[in-house]
Amino acid sequence: MKFIDILRDHLHEFNQRYERQITPSMRQAIQAMLSCRTNTQRISQWACQSCTHTADFPLSCGHRSCPQCQHNTTTDWLAKQQAKLLPVEYYMVTFTLPFELRVIAKHQPESMYKAMFSVAASVLKDFAHNSKQLGGDIGFTGVLHTHNRRRDFHPHIHFIIPAGSFNKDKKQWRKSKGKYLFNAFNLAKVWRARLMEHLTMQLDITLPASIPKKWVVDCQHVGKGLPALKYLSRYLYRGVLPDNNIISDIDGQVSFEYKDSQSKTTKIRTLPAVKFLYQILQHVLPKGLRRVRDYGLLRGNCSKLRQQIQLMLAVAGAVFPLVAKVKRALATRTCPCCHQPMCFMGIHQNGLGNSRPTSLTITA
């Protein structure tokens, strides 16, 4: 069962039920997914290597919310992040937006998510500078998730942080020891104060009357960095719910499975089809909003400094993790006549066979 099939079958009822809640970004995502691999302006041209058979195929929509696209984008991101891995312990720090402020995130997602990123990043940088163990510049990668495992609206940002800092004055790398990075309760206090000040003073947003005094920030040791990166990459560019998690669509009721974070067991959730569609589409991000951001030593313009740090660690005897090279999935087609592999010839405009082909990477 595919999400796009459910969307196509129940689109009319969904539009009627959620007309006021559907944002322009949602409509763009819906249009892209419904045309994915079915009706595109450009098509890929293939030719059999053993016989004379040729065939044209529509391209993928490429939308980041589409569950059947963007595999290569995820692969590329993971490969770039793997190149930045350091032979140190890693931590995952998660900043969660409290329930009372989520209505603001729904109505002003771009402003709220940008504020969450900037405030949380400033908190981490300041804690690192004031830390007795670190006392320098750190690097970290933030990934925005807008849902929990049940796919409810639950905005939070995961930050992956290598436990070490660089002192620019001494040109020294300082490695954090033990299984402790920052105090989560102190992080939560500063996170609450700074975000509320940012929303009211800089964005002029009126906050709800009742806001909890205790916010949630989680800081946990995750060992090496690669498993954490792979965890974060699951939902980056391939939609909120993978198609293989959808179990059934029977009598207007859609069931999907998820892994419960508390019991670690697989559970099934069933919703009316139109509610299920909104449950997934409410997580479509505004166009142009970056879901992933690198800070400090992990920024793109710090590549030379990272290489120096990696060299310093190697000279000091650190053993770098052996990371298997991430391979891109190549598109393949099989000839329907002789069942032999077909060769990709290029991409041309739909209906304009004499157009000049272009060499683009496509998703099968």
Side-chain angles (χ1 to χ4, degrees), residues 227-278:
L229 290 174
K230 288 184 176 179
Y231 166 77
L232 293 181
S233 69
R234 293 178 191 172
Y235 307 110
L236 276 184
Y237 302 105
R238 301 202 70 188
V240 173
L241 183 69
D243 282 338
N244 56 13
N245 284 23
I246 302 175
I247 299 173
S248 63
D249 175 17
I250 302 175
D251 297 329
Q253 300 287 317
V254 177
S255 298
F256 65 93
E257 63 180 18
Y258 67 95
K259 191 171 184 179
D260 185 80
S261 57
Q262 299 296 326
S263 64
K264 306 299 180 183
T265 59
T266 299
K267 294 188 175 182
I268 296 176
R269 186 177 187 185
T270 301
L271 295 171
V274 290
K275 186 175 181 179
F276 165 78
L277 291 176
Y278 184 75

Tab-separated table of all heavy atoms in Angstrom, residues 227-278:
chain	number	residue	atom	x	y	z
A	227	PRO	N	26.064	5.574	13.899
A	227	PRO	CA	24.687	5.102	14.146
A	227	PRO	C	23.693	6.246	14.327
A	227	PRO	O	22.551	6.161	13.867
A	227	PRO	CB	24.829	4.271	15.430
A	227	PRO	CG	26.254	3.851	15.455
A	227	PRO	CD	27.013	4.995	14.861
A	228	ALA	N	24.127	7.317	15.000
A	228	ALA	CA	23.233	8.462	15.202
A	228	ALA	C	22.919	9.147	13.876
A	228	ALA	O	21.783	9.559	13.633
A	228	ALA	CB	23.865	9.455	16.175
A	229	LEU	N	23.921	9.269	13.007
A	229	LEU	CA	23.693	9.888	11.696
A	229	LEU	C	22.712	9.062	10.867
A	229	LEU	O	21.837	9.604	10.196
A	229	LEU	CB	25.015	10.038	10.948
A	229	LEU	CG	26.000	11.079	11.495
A	229	LEU	CD1	27.320	11.004	10.737
A	229	LEU	CD2	25.424	12.479	11.390
A	230	LYS	N	22.859	7.756	10.907
A	230	LYS	CA	21.955	6.891	10.151
A	230	LYS	C	20.528	7.005	10.682
A	230	LYS	O	19.566	6.980	9.910
A	230	LYS	CB	22.436	5.438	10.229
A	230	LYS	CG	23.690	5.176	9.408
A	230	LYS	CD	24.071	3.699	9.452
A	230	LYS	CE	25.273	3.431	8.548
A	230	LYS	NZ	25.680	1.997	8.588
A	231	TYR	N	20.396	7.147	12.003
A	231	TYR	CA	19.064	7.313	12.600
A	231	TYR	C	18.417	8.595	12.093
A	231	TYR	O	17.241	8.610	11.718
A	231	TYR	CB	19.181	7.326	14.123
A	231	TYR	CG	17.931	7.820	14.818
A	231	TYR	CD1	16.813	6.999	14.955
A	231	TYR	CD2	17.863	9.115	15.333
A	231	TYR	CE1	15.667	7.444	15.582
A	231	TYR	CE2	16.711	9.568	15.963
A	231	TYR	CZ	15.627	8.736	16.085
A	231	TYR	OH	14.479	9.194	16.694
A	232	LEU	N	19.189	9.690	12.071
A	232	LEU	CA	18.633	10.972	11.655
A	232	LEU	C	18.318	10.997	10.161
A	232	LEU	O	17.436	11.731	9.720
A	232	LEU	CB	19.605	12.104	12.001
A	232	LEU	CG	19.831	12.367	13.484
A	232	LEU	CD1	20.788	13.534	13.669
A	232	LEU	CD2	18.520	12.660	14.197
A	233	SER	N	19.050	10.213	9.374
A	233	SER	CA	18.861	10.248	7.922
A	233	SER	C	17.567	9.575	7.466
A	233	SER	O	17.140	9.756	6.330
A	233	SER	CB	20.047	9.569	7.223
A	233	SER	OG	20.046	8.168	7.453
A	234	ARG	N	16.922	8.815	8.361
A	234	ARG	CA	15.732	8.052	7.953
A	234	ARG	C	14.616	8.935	7.417
A	234	ARG	O	13.946	8.595	6.449
A	234	ARG	CB	15.194	7.251	9.144
A	234	ARG	CG	16.105	6.146	9.618
A	234	ARG	CD	15.487	5.451	10.824
A	234	ARG	NE	16.433	4.553	11.472
A	234	ARG	CZ	16.191	3.944	12.627
A	234	ARG	NH1	15.032	4.153	13.237
A	234	ARG	NH2	17.081	3.164	13.162
A	235	TYR	N	14.393	10.077	8.065
A	235	TYR	CA	13.233	10.906	7.716
A	235	TYR	C	13.637	12.213	7.032
A	235	TYR	O	12.819	13.110	6.894
A	235	TYR	CB	12.421	11.237	8.980
A	235	TYR	CG	12.040	10.020	9.779
A	235	TYR	CD1	12.621	9.777	11.012
A	235	TYR	CD2	11.112	9.111	9.298
A	235	TYR	CE1	12.279	8.656	11.760
A	235	TYR	CE2	10.765	7.994	10.035
A	235	TYR	CZ	11.348	7.769	11.263
A	235	TYR	OH	11.007	6.666	11.985
A	236	LEU	N	14.896	12.312	6.611
A	236	LEU	CA	15.367	13.587	6.079
A	236	LEU	C	14.690	13.961	4.771
A	236	LEU	O	14.122	15.035	4.629
A	236	LEU	CB	16.891	13.550	5.874
A	236	LEU	CG	17.728	13.867	7.100
A	236	LEU	CD1	19.193	13.893	6.725
A	236	LEU	CD2	17.325	15.197	7.692
A	237	TYR	N	14.799	13.089	3.788
A	237	TYR	CA	14.366	13.460	2.440
A	237	TYR	C	13.382	12.463	1.829
A	237	TYR	O	13.121	12.526	0.647
A	237	TYR	CB	15.587	13.553	1.525
A	237	TYR	CG	16.626	14.544	2.006
A	237	TYR	CD1	17.799	14.108	2.599
A	237	TYR	CD2	16.427	15.914	1.862
A	237	TYR	CE1	18.755	15.014	3.043
A	237	TYR	CE2	17.377	16.823	2.302
A	237	TYR	CZ	18.535	16.367	2.889
A	237	TYR	OH	19.478	17.263	3.330
A	238	ARG	N	12.835	11.573	2.629
A	238	ARG	CA	11.969	10.557	2.042
A	238	ARG	C	10.593	10.511	2.691
A	238	ARG	O	9.980	9.464	2.830
A	238	ARG	CB	12.634	9.177	2.118
A	238	ARG	CG	13.963	9.108	1.395
A	238	ARG	CD	14.320	7.692	1.022
A	238	ARG	NE	13.447	7.186	-0.032
A	238	ARG	CZ	13.452	5.914	-0.439
A	238	ARG	NH1	14.254	5.054	0.137
A	238	ARG	NH2	12.652	5.523	-1.398
A	239	GLY	N	10.097	11.662	3.077
A	239	GLY	CA	8.759	11.703	3.630
A	239	GLY	C	8.726	11.318	5.100
A	239	GLY	O	9.715	10.891	5.693
A	240	VAL	N	7.555	11.450	5.692
A	240	VAL	CA	7.378	11.218	7.119
A	240	VAL	C	7.148	9.739	7.431
A	240	VAL	O	7.628	9.230	8.438
A	240	VAL	CB	6.185	12.052	7.630
A	240	VAL	CG1	5.841	11.709	9.071
A	240	VAL	CG2	6.497	13.538	7.497
A	241	LEU	N	6.439	9.052	6.545
A	241	LEU	CA	6.088	7.649	6.787
A	241	LEU	C	6.464	6.802	5.573
A	241	LEU	O	5.895	6.981	4.498
A	241	LEU	CB	4.588	7.526	7.071
A	241	LEU	CG	4.073	6.131	7.411
A	241	LEU	CD1	4.592	5.699	8.771
A	241	LEU	CD2	2.542	6.106	7.394
A	242	PRO	N	7.411	5.869	5.717
A	242	PRO	CA	7.749	4.997	4.592
A	242	PRO	C	6.551	4.157	4.171
A	242	PRO	O	5.734	3.752	5.008
A	242	PRO	CB	8.876	4.107	5.168
A	242	PRO	CG	9.416	4.872	6.336
A	242	PRO	CD	8.250	5.629	6.901
A	243	ASP	N	6.456	3.889	2.892
A	243	ASP	CA	5.319	3.108	2.386
A	243	ASP	C	5.241	1.720	3.013
A	243	ASP	O	4.147	1.181	3.205
A	243	ASP	CB	5.415	2.984	0.857
A	243	ASP	CG	4.974	4.257	0.150
A	243	ASP	OD1	4.237	5.048	0.765
A	243	ASP	OD2	5.371	4.461	-1.008
A	244	ASN	N	6.396	1.132	3.329
A	244	ASN	CA	6.346	-0.224	3.881
A	244	ASN	C	5.834	-0.265	5.316
A	244	ASN	O	5.650	-1.346	5.876
A	244	ASN	CB	7.722	-0.904	3.789
A	244	ASN	CG	8.814	-0.098	4.470
A	244	ASN	OD1	8.524	0.845	5.207
A	244	ASN	ND2	10.056	-0.457	4.229
A	245	ASN	N	5.596	0.909	5.924
A	245	ASN	CA	4.987	0.952	7.253
A	245	ASN	C	3.458	0.999	7.194
A	245	ASN	O	2.793	0.854	8.214
A	245	ASN	CB	5.491	2.172	8.041
A	245	ASN	CG	6.901	1.978	8.575
A	245	ASN	OD1	7.650	1.177	8.045
A	245	ASN	ND2	7.252	2.704	9.606
A	246	ILE	N	2.930	1.254	5.999
A	246	ILE	CA	1.474	1.289	5.833
A	246	ILE	C	0.968	-0.135	5.626
A	246	ILE	O	1.398	-0.832	4.707
A	246	ILE	CB	1.071	2.177	4.645
A	246	ILE	CG1	1.596	3.605	4.844
A	246	ILE	CG2	-0.446	2.200	4.484
A	246	ILE	CD1	1.346	4.523	3.666
A	247	ILE	N	0.058	-0.556	6.488
A	247	ILE	CA	-0.396	-1.947	6.465
A	247	ILE	C	-1.616	-2.140	5.581
A	247	ILE	O	-1.687	-3.076	4.775
A	247	ILE	CB	-0.705	-2.426	7.895
A	247	ILE	CG1	0.560	-2.341	8.759
A	247	ILE	CG2	-1.254	-3.844	7.888
A	247	ILE	CD1	0.294	-2.644	10.219
A	248	SER	N	-2.623	-1.245	5.730
A	248	SER	CA	-3.867	-1.466	4.983
A	248	SER	C	-4.663	-0.181	4.853
A	248	SER	O	-4.465	0.782	5.603
A	248	SER	CB	-4.728	-2.523	5.688
A	248	SER	OG	-5.112	-2.058	6.977
A	249	ASP	N	-5.565	-0.179	3.873
A	249	ASP	CA	-6.565	0.875	3.677
A	249	ASP	C	-7.874	0.159	3.370
A	249	ASP	O	-8.165	-0.177	2.221
A	249	ASP	CB	-6.146	1.799	2.536
A	249	ASP	CG	-7.217	2.844	2.214
A	249	ASP	OD1	-8.110	3.045	3.060
A	249	ASP	OD2	-7.152	3.453	1.127
A	250	ILE	N	-8.643	-0.098	4.423
A	250	ILE	CA	-9.860	-0.896	4.289
A	250	ILE	C	-11.046	-0.110	4.823
A	250	ILE	O	-11.020	0.388	5.962
A	250	ILE	CB	-9.729	-2.228	5.067
A	250	ILE	CG1	-8.527	-3.027	4.550
A	250	ILE	CG2	-11.011	-3.044	4.934
A	250	ILE	CD1	-8.255	-4.283	5.351
A	251	ASP	N	-12.080	0.021	3.990
A	251	ASP	CA	-13.318	0.706	4.389
A	251	ASP	C	-13.046	2.098	4.949
A	251	ASP	O	-13.640	2.526	5.953
A	251	ASP	CB	-14.091	-0.126	5.419
A	251	ASP	CG	-14.548	-1.466	4.864
A	251	ASP	OD1	-14.802	-1.532	3.649
A	251	ASP	OD2	-14.641	-2.431	5.644
A	252	GLY	N	-12.120	2.831	4.302
A	252	GLY	CA	-11.838	4.198	4.724
A	252	GLY	C	-11.011	4.314	5.980
A	252	GLY	O	-10.899	5.409	6.547
A	253	GLN	N	-10.430	3.206	6.440
A	253	GLN	CA	-9.579	3.202	7.632
A	253	GLN	C	-8.169	2.769	7.234
A	253	GLN	O	-7.998	1.705	6.629
A	253	GLN	CB	-10.132	2.254	8.698
A	253	GLN	CG	-11.537	2.593	9.177
A	253	GLN	CD	-11.564	3.829	10.056
A	253	GLN	OE1	-10.718	4.026	10.926
A	253	GLN	NE2	-12.560	4.691	9.832
A	254	VAL	N	-7.182	3.600	7.562
A	254	VAL	CA	-5.793	3.308	7.215
A	254	VAL	C	-5.037	2.910	8.473
A	254	VAL	O	-5.107	3.589	9.500
A	254	VAL	CB	-5.107	4.522	6.557
A	254	VAL	CG1	-3.637	4.221	6.270
A	254	VAL	CG2	-5.829	4.911	5.273
A	255	SER	N	-4.300	1.823	8.389
A	255	SER	CA	-3.494	1.349	9.517
A	255	SER	C	-2.020	1.401	9.143
A	255	SER	O	-1.643	1.040	8.027
A	255	SER	CB	-3.877	-0.092	9.886
A	255	SER	OG	-5.224	-0.167	10.305
A	256	PHE	N	-1.210	1.860	10.075
A	256	PHE	CA	0.237	1.863	9.865
A	256	PHE	C	0.931	1.440	11.152
A	256	PHE	O	0.378	1.578	12.246
A	256	PHE	CB	0.735	3.242	9.406
A	256	PHE	CG	0.571	4.348	10.414
A	256	PHE	CD1	1.593	4.675	11.298
A	256	PHE	CD2	-0.606	5.083	10.480
A	256	PHE	CE1	1.449	5.696	12.213
A	256	PHE	CE2	-0.763	6.111	11.392
A	256	PHE	CZ	0.268	6.424	12.270
A	257	GLU	N	2.121	0.932	11.018
A	257	GLU	CA	2.867	0.470	12.183
A	257	GLU	C	3.972	1.446	12.537
A	257	GLU	O	4.487	2.165	11.682
A	257	GLU	CB	3.443	-0.922	11.936
A	257	GLU	CG	4.444	-0.998	10.799
A	257	GLU	CD	4.984	-2.400	10.596
A	257	GLU	OE1	4.352	-3.348	11.092
A	257	GLU	OE2	6.047	-2.541	9.938
A	258	TYR	N	4.318	1.470	13.802
A	258	TYR	CA	5.396	2.315	14.291
A	258	TYR	C	6.016	1.631	15.504
A	258	TYR	O	5.408	0.743	16.130
A	258	TYR	CB	4.872	3.704	14.672
A	258	TYR	CG	3.940	3.717	15.858
A	258	TYR	CD1	4.410	3.978	17.150
A	258	TYR	CD2	2.578	3.455	15.709
A	258	TYR	CE1	3.559	3.972	18.243
A	258	TYR	CE2	1.721	3.450	16.794
A	258	TYR	CZ	2.216	3.717	18.057
A	258	TYR	OH	1.369	3.707	19.147
A	259	LYS	N	7.214	2.060	15.852
A	259	LYS	CA	7.900	1.478	17.001
A	259	LYS	C	7.729	2.386	18.200
A	259	LYS	O	8.126	3.548	18.164
A	259	LYS	CB	9.388	1.278	16.689
A	259	LYS	CG	10.120	0.447	17.729
A	259	LYS	CD	11.521	0.101	17.270
A	259	LYS	CE	12.229	-0.807	18.268
A	259	LYS	NZ	13.595	-1.167	17.819
A	260	ASP	N	7.138	1.880	19.248
A	260	ASP	CA	6.903	2.670	20.447
A	260	ASP	C	8.228	2.994	21.131
A	260	ASP	O	9.063	2.107	21.348
A	260	ASP	CB	6.000	1.891	21.406
A	260	ASP	CG	5.610	2.717	22.621
A	260	ASP	OD1	4.692	3.552	22.496
A	260	ASP	OD2	6.242	2.549	23.673
A	261	SER	N	8.429	4.275	21.449
A	261	SER	CA	9.704	4.712	22.016
A	261	SER	C	9.908	4.225	23.446
A	261	SER	O	11.053	4.104	23.898
A	261	SER	CB	9.795	6.242	21.986
A	261	SER	OG	8.712	6.827	22.682
A	262	GLN	N	8.818	3.941	24.162
A	262	GLN	CA	8.936	3.495	25.547
A	262	GLN	C	9.130	1.986	25.641
A	262	GLN	O	10.079	1.498	26.250
A	262	GLN	CB	7.687	3.916	26.332
A	262	GLN	CG	7.451	5.418	26.382
A	262	GLN	CD	8.552	6.157	27.116
A	262	GLN	OE1	9.139	5.645	28.073
A	262	GLN	NE2	8.848	7.367	26.661
A	263	SER	N	8.220	1.242	25.033
A	263	SER	CA	8.275	-0.224	25.143
A	263	SER	C	9.192	-0.875	24.112
A	263	SER	O	9.507	-2.066	24.238
A	263	SER	CB	6.865	-0.801	24.983
A	263	SER	OG	6.357	-0.526	23.683
A	264	LYS	N	9.596	-0.108	23.083
A	264	LYS	CA	10.453	-0.625	22.004
A	264	LYS	C	9.763	-1.741	21.216
A	264	LYS	O	10.412	-2.530	20.528
A	264	LYS	CB	11.799	-1.142	22.543
A	264	LYS	CG	12.566	-0.132	23.388
A	264	LYS	CD	12.911	1.116	22.609
A	264	LYS	CE	13.676	2.112	23.472
A	264	LYS	NZ	13.967	3.376	22.756
A	265	THR	N	8.442	-1.781	21.293
A	265	THR	CA	7.693	-2.785	20.551
A	265	THR	C	6.982	-2.131	19.368
A	265	THR	O	6.734	-0.920	19.369
A	265	THR	CB	6.642	-3.463	21.451
A	265	THR	OG1	5.744	-2.459	21.957
A	265	THR	CG2	7.314	-4.172	22.609
A	266	THR	N	6.650	-2.936	18.381
A	266	THR	CA	5.944	-2.436	17.209
A	266	THR	C	4.450	-2.369	17.489
A	266	THR	O	3.841	-3.359	17.924
A	266	THR	CB	6.201	-3.341	15.998
A	266	THR	OG1	7.605	-3.353	15.701
A	266	THR	CG2	5.447	-2.833	14.779
A	267	LYS	N	3.866	-1.216	17.254
A	267	LYS	CA	2.436	-1.022	17.470
A	267	LYS	C	1.769	-0.589	16.179
A	267	LYS	O	2.426	-0.143	15.240
A	267	LYS	CB	2.188	0.003	18.576
A	267	LYS	CG	2.655	-0.448	19.957
A	267	LYS	CD	2.217	0.531	21.035
A	267	LYS	CE	2.584	0.012	22.420
A	267	LYS	NZ	2.136	0.931	23.496
A	268	ILE	N	0.446	-0.709	16.158
A	268	ILE	CA	-0.336	-0.347	14.970
A	268	ILE	C	-1.307	0.765	15.335
A	268	ILE	O	-1.995	0.693	16.363
A	268	ILE	CB	-1.094	-1.567	14.417
A	268	ILE	CG1	-0.100	-2.631	13.939
A	268	ILE	CG2	-2.013	-1.146	13.263
A	268	ILE	CD1	-0.756	-3.914	13.471
A	269	ARG	N	-1.364	1.780	14.491
A	269	ARG	CA	-2.313	2.875	14.687
A	269	ARG	C	-3.252	2.934	13.493
A	269	ARG	O	-2.793	2.870	12.335
A	269	ARG	CB	-1.574	4.205	14.842
A	269	ARG	CG	-2.504	5.368	15.196
A	269	ARG	CD	-1.737	6.658	15.415
A	269	ARG	NE	-2.623	7.716	15.905
A	269	ARG	CZ	-2.260	8.977	16.094
A	269	ARG	NH1	-1.005	9.343	15.844
A	269	ARG	NH2	-3.130	9.865	16.539
A	270	THR	N	-4.532	3.075	13.755
A	270	THR	CA	-5.543	3.117	12.699
A	270	THR	C	-6.299	4.436	12.764
A	270	THR	O	-6.758	4.842	13.833
A	270	THR	CB	-6.525	1.949	12.829
A	270	THR	OG1	-5.800	0.707	12.759
A	270	THR	CG2	-7.555	1.985	11.707
A	271	LEU	N	-6.412	5.105	11.613
A	271	LEU	CA	-7.093	6.391	11.516
A	271	LEU	C	-8.008	6.402	10.294
A	271	LEU	O	-7.746	5.693	9.314
A	271	LEU	CB	-6.071	7.525	11.372
A	271	LEU	CG	-5.111	7.789	12.536
A	271	LEU	CD1	-4.043	8.784	12.100
A	271	LEU	CD2	-5.863	8.308	13.744
A	272	PRO	N	-9.080	7.216	10.329
A	272	PRO	CA	-9.844	7.433	9.088
A	272	PRO	C	-8.913	7.970	8.006
A	272	PRO	O	-7.983	8.731	8.303
A	272	PRO	CB	-10.887	8.478	9.510
A	272	PRO	CG	-11.013	8.322	10.983
A	272	PRO	CD	-9.655	7.936	11.482
A	273	ALA	N	-9.163	7.601	6.776
A	273	ALA	CA	-8.228	7.902	5.684
A	273	ALA	C	-7.909	9.391	5.573
A	273	ALA	O	-6.743	9.781	5.424
A	273	ALA	CB	-8.791	7.384	4.367
A	274	VAL	N	-8.929	10.248	5.652
A	274	VAL	CA	-8.674	11.681	5.485
A	274	VAL	C	-7.883	12.236	6.665
A	274	VAL	O	-7.032	13.123	6.502
A	274	VAL	CB	-9.990	12.467	5.296
A	274	VAL	CG1	-10.617	12.152	3.958
A	274	VAL	CG2	-10.967	12.190	6.436
A	275	LYS	N	-8.145	11.718	7.866
A	275	LYS	CA	-7.372	12.154	9.029
A	275	LYS	C	-5.940	11.663	8.924
A	275	LYS	O	-4.983	12.354	9.308
A	275	LYS	CB	-8.015	11.645	10.322
A	275	LYS	CG	-7.351	12.192	11.573
A	275	LYS	CD	-8.084	11.773	12.839
A	275	LYS	CE	-7.396	12.368	14.079
A	275	LYS	NZ	-8.104	11.989	15.335
A	276	PHE	N	-5.771	10.456	8.408
A	276	PHE	CA	-4.428	9.907	8.189
A	276	PHE	C	-3.646	10.791	7.216
A	276	PHE	O	-2.461	11.081	7.438
A	276	PHE	CB	-4.528	8.482	7.639
A	276	PHE	CG	-3.250	7.972	7.051
A	276	PHE	CD1	-2.215	7.519	7.870
A	276	PHE	CD2	-3.061	7.951	5.671
A	276	PHE	CE1	-1.029	7.050	7.318
A	276	PHE	CE2	-1.890	7.482	5.115
A	276	PHE	CZ	-0.868	7.035	5.940
A	277	LEU	N	-4.299	11.233	6.141
A	277	LEU	CA	-3.621	12.089	5.166
A	277	LEU	C	-3.159	13.388	5.813
A	277	LEU	O	-2.036	13.847	5.594
A	277	LEU	CB	-4.551	12.379	3.988
A	277	LEU	CG	-4.861	11.196	3.070
A	277	LEU	CD1	-5.877	11.604	2.000
A	277	LEU	CD2	-3.586	10.677	2.398
A	278	TYR	N	-4.020	13.985	6.622
A	278	TYR	CA	-3.631	15.231	7.292
A	278	TYR	C	-2.533	14.972	8.323
A	278	TYR	O	-1.641	15.796	8.508
A	278	TYR	CB	-4.830	15.887	7.966
A	278	TYR	CG	-4.477	17.226	8.589
A	278	TYR	CD1	-4.289	18.347	7.785
A	278	TYR	CD2	-4.283	17.343	9.967
A	278	TYR	CE1	-3.932	19.572	8.346
A	278	TYR	CE2	-3.930	18.563	10.530
A	278	TYR	CZ	-3.747	19.668	9.713
A	278	TYR	OH	-3.377	20.874	10.265
